[in-house]
Amino acid sequence: MTERVETGEHGQADAPVSSVAASLRHLIATSRDVGADAGALEAFARIVEKAVADGHGAHEISALAP
């Protein structure tokens, strides 16, 4: 991932943003089910969901790095 961030090339998505969004939804639901704090996951999910809404769902998750 470091190389992708450093070069700014986020092509061939091994971990597309949309897949990460789906995984986060499951992790948040499971966390709630067992009574675990999902605050950090929810914060990250908001960033990821916004990226999907902005049309970045097919991009590699590394594209979200500053």
Side-chain angles (χ1 to χ4, degrees):
M1 182 185 284
T2 302
E3 183 177 325
R4 290 177 189 253
V5 173
E6 288 175 350
T7 63
E9 294 184 22
H10 308 284
Q12 179 148 356
D14 296 322
V17 174
S18 60
S19 178
V20 173
S23 295
L24 283 167
R25 286 191 292 273
H26 291 291
L27 288 168
I28 290 167
T30 301
S31 294
R32 289 178 181 157
D33 288 347
V34 299
D37 181 7
L41 292 170
E42 292 166 340
F44 185 44
R46 285 190 295 275
I47 294 166
V48 172
E49 292 290 352
K50 181 177 181 332
V52 170
D54 289 347
H56 301 292
H59 295 141
E60 175 68 28
I61 191 67
S62 61
L64 300 183

